[in-house]
Amino acid sequence: MSGPPPPGQQPSPQQMAAMQQQLAMEAQKRGMTPQQFQQWQRQQIENDAKKAGMTFEQYVNKLKQQAYEQHMAQQQQMAQQQAAQQSGQPQAQGQGGQQVPITPGAPDPKALALAKWLRGQDLKTRTCILNGQRKDMFRVKRALRALQSSAYKTACSKNSLLPSVTDATSASETFKLLPLSLLALRVSKSDPHEGHNHGPSPKSQKRIKGLWTVKIEQQQDISDELHYVWLYEGPQWKTKLYAAGALVLIMAVVMFPLWPMKLRIGVWYLSMGMLGLIGLFFAMAIFRAILFAVTYFAVPPGLWLYPNLFEDVGFFDSFRPVWGWQEDKKKKGKKSKDGAAAAGDSKKSSKASETAKSAGTAGTTNKGTATAPVASLKDRDLKARIEEVEDD
C-alpha cells in the first residue's frame, strides 16, 4: 500500500498518479474541474495557515509531516497484528477500538489489585475445563456491575491502586486491565473432539450439566454476554499450607522408628482397630449378600440387611433402615400410577355418593315410588372399584 512520501522527498510516479486520480475524484464529487478544485483547496489552506500564524509553505510541510506519521503508525500497527496472529497471542481491545497485542510479562499492579478485589466478589462463577484444567468462568456483565457498585467506590477510597470508575465506559476501560496483564482472558465454548474423526456422536455423548470445555479467543473484546476465565488464582497460602502439612506428615511416617515407644504402641493399636473395622465391613457385606440369596428363593422378593449400605447417601443414612425387602423397578414405577388411579377412584366414589344422596331426597318427595331404584343405585355406586393398572 503506497502512502504519502516522507517530508522533503519527491513522490514517485506511482504516488503522483494516485494523487492525481484522487484529486480528480474529489473534484468530480464537488462538481468542479481539477484546476478549480486545486484553486479552492489552495485558498482553504491559505486561510488555515493564517489562522495558525504560519506561512503557506510551513503549513503545507506540517500537513505532510502529520500525514506521514499517521501512515507509519498504521503500518506499524498492522505489522504488530500480523505478528501476534502468527504467534497465536491474544489481542485486547484498546482505546478507540484498536486491537492491542497481549505480551507476557509482569502484571500491572493496578490489574493485580483489581483482580484481587473482583475475586472476592460474588460473580456467580462456574467451573469450566480449559486445557484439561478446571478454571472459574464468569460473565463480563457481572464484573462490570461490580465495578459500578458502591462497594468498589469504598474499596477505591481504601486502596489507591484501584482505578476510579465513574460510568460504564470507564468500567470497561478498567476491566481491560485484566486481559492486558493475562489475569483473565475471554473464552468461548468448544468441542474437545473438534477436528478429529474419533469423537463420539452428539447423541451418545453425555454432557455434564454446567461444565463447559472452553478455548481462549484471539480477540479479547468486552461485552456483557461474553465469558472470561480467571487465570489469577489469588493468594496461594492455602496451597502452601497443605504442602507443608503433607511434607510434615511424610517426614513423620519416615521417622517412625524414632518415635517414643508409647506412641508406636498407640499407632499399632489404632491400625489394628482400623483393620478390624474394615474386615467387619467386608464380612457384613458378604453376610447380607448370602442372606439376600437365601431369602430370594425362600421368601421372595428377598430381604436386604442395611439396604442403603452402598447407596449415594450420608454415613448414618447408609445404616437406616436396618432391613428392607427387595423392590423391583417396575413396581416402583407402578406405585406412582397406582396412587394416581386410587386418588381418581376416590374422587369418583365421592361424586357418586353425592349424586345418590341428592337422588334419594328427590325420590322420597315423589310419593315414594322411586325409593327402591334409588337405593339400588346408591348401593351400586358406593362400592369401591379397584382397577388394575398395567404398563403397556
Side-chain angles (χ1 to χ4, degrees):
M1 183 179 67
S2 62
Q9 182 179 351
Q10 294 295 329
S12 62
Q14 292 84 2
Q15 292 175 344
M16 287 291 297
M19 292 169 62
Q20 291 177 358
Q21 185 178 1
Q22 185 177 3
L23 183 66
M25 291 174 61
E26 293 292 335
Q28 187 177 3
K29 288 180 182 179
R30 290 171 172 79
M32 304 178 182
T33 61
Q35 292 78 13
Q36 292 176 349
F37 181 73
Q38 286 180 353
Q39 293 177 359
W40 175 80
Q41 196 174 24
R42 184 180 180 86
Q43 291 177 359
Q44 294 291 330
I45 294 175
E46 289 177 352
N47 294 333
D48 293 338
K50 289 180 181 179
K51 292 180 182 178
M54 301 180 182
T55 61
F56 179 78
E57 290 77 10
Q58 292 176 347
Y59 191 73
V60 169
N61 292 332
K62 181 182 178 182
L63 292 179
K64 289 181 179 180
Q65 182 69 27
Q66 290 179 353
Y68 177 72
E69 291 177 355
Q70 185 178 3
H71 175 69
M72 293 301 295
Q74 290 179 355
Q75 283 189 341
Q76 185 177 4
Q77 182 181 354
M78 290 178 61
Q80 289 178 355
Q81 290 181 0
Q82 291 177 359
Q85 290 178 358
Q86 292 176 359
S87 61
Q89 294 180 356
Q91 298 179 358
Q93 188 176 8
Q95 295 181 355
Q98 298 178 355
Q99 298 296 329
V100 180
I102 299 176
T103 56
D108 188 2
K110 293 183 179 180
L112 278 175
L114 179 64
K116 185 177 180 181
W117 185 84
L118 284 176
R119 288 289 281 178
Q121 303 302 309
D122 184 16
L123 301 182
K124 295 183 179 180
T125 58
R126 55 190 297 185
T127 305
C128 64
I129 303 297
L130 177 63
N131 297 329
Q133 298 180 352
R134 290 177 178 264
K135 299 290 184 180
D136 292 332
M137 183 177 62
F138 64 95
R139 275 191 174 183
V140 175
K141 68 176 182 180
R142 304 195 188 280
L144 296 180
R145 195 179 301 165
L147 292 176
Q148 298 180 60
S149 63
S150 58
Y152 183 75
K153 294 181 181 178
T154 306
C156 286
S157 61
K158 297 179 181 179
N159 190 354
S160 59
L161 290 176
L162 290 174
S164 61
V165 173
T166 56
D167 53 5
T169 304
S170 59
S172 300
E173 294 296 329
T174 302
F175 184 81
K176 291 174 185 177
L177 295 174
L178 298 178
L180 287 174
S181 297
L182 293 176
L183 300 177
L185 291 177
R186 180 196 163 198
V187 294
S188 62
K189 189 178 178 182
S190 66
D191 184 8
H193 301 284
E194 185 178 1
H196 303 280
N197 297 325
H198 62 273
S201 61
K203 294 183 179 179
S204 62
Q205 187 178 8
K206 293 183 179 179
R207 175 182 175 271
I208 302 175
K209 185 178 180 181
L211 193 62
W212 286 8
T213 301
V214 298
K215 62 179 180 179
I216 297 177
E217 286 294 328
Q218 191 75 19
Q219 305 297 334
Q220 299 292 309
D221 300 327
I222 308 296
S223 180
D224 289 346
E225 299 302 323
L226 297 180
H227 292 85
Y228 271 68
V229 69
W230 280 114
L231 301 182
Y232 174 71
E233 300 294 340
Q236 301 295 321
W237 63 270
K238 286 185 178 181
T239 306
K240 295 178 181 178
L241 184 62
Y242 292 153
L247 182 61
V248 170
L249 183 61
I250 292 172
M251 292 298 295
V253 172
V254 171
M255 300 176 67
F256 179 77
L258 301 178
W259 288 17
M261 184 59 66
K262 291 183 179 180
L263 285 179
R264 283 189 284 177
I265 294 174
V267 170
W268 185 82
Y269 279 115
L270 183 62
S271 61
M272 290 298 105
M274 293 296 296
L275 288 175
L277 288 176
I278 295 173
L280 182 62
F281 179 80
F282 280 104
M284 182 177 60
I286 295 172
F287 174 74
R288 70 191 290 269
I290 296 173
L291 178 63
F292 173 73
V294 172
T295 56
Y296 182 77
F297 297 101
V299 190
L303 180 68
W304 279 111
L305 182 66
Y306 299 119
N308 293 328
L309 185 62
F310 296 105
E311 296 294 332
D312 188 13
V313 293
F315 176 77
F316 295 102
D317 292 334
S318 299
F319 300 95
R320 290 191 295 235
V322 179
W323 64 275
W325 294 102
Q326 170 69 12
E327 294 183 1
D328 192 3
K329 293 183 179 180
K330 292 184 178 180
K331 291 184 178 180
K332 288 181 181 180
K334 285 182 181 180
K335 281 185 178 181
S336 59
K337 296 182 180 179
D338 292 342
D345 292 338
S346 62
K347 290 181 180 179
K348 290 180 181 179
S349 61
S350 62
K351 290 182 180 179
S353 61
E354 291 177 0
T355 54
K357 287 180 181 180
S358 61
T361 53
T364 54
T365 55
N366 293 332
K367 298 181 182 181
T369 56
T371 304
V374 170
S376 61
L377 176 62
K378 181 178 179 181
D379 293 338
R380 183 180 64 187
D381 291 337
L382 286 178
K383 292 179 181 179
R385 296 181 180 179
I386 301 176
E387 298 179 357
E388 294 291 336
V389 181
E390 297 181 354
D391 296 334
D392 293 334

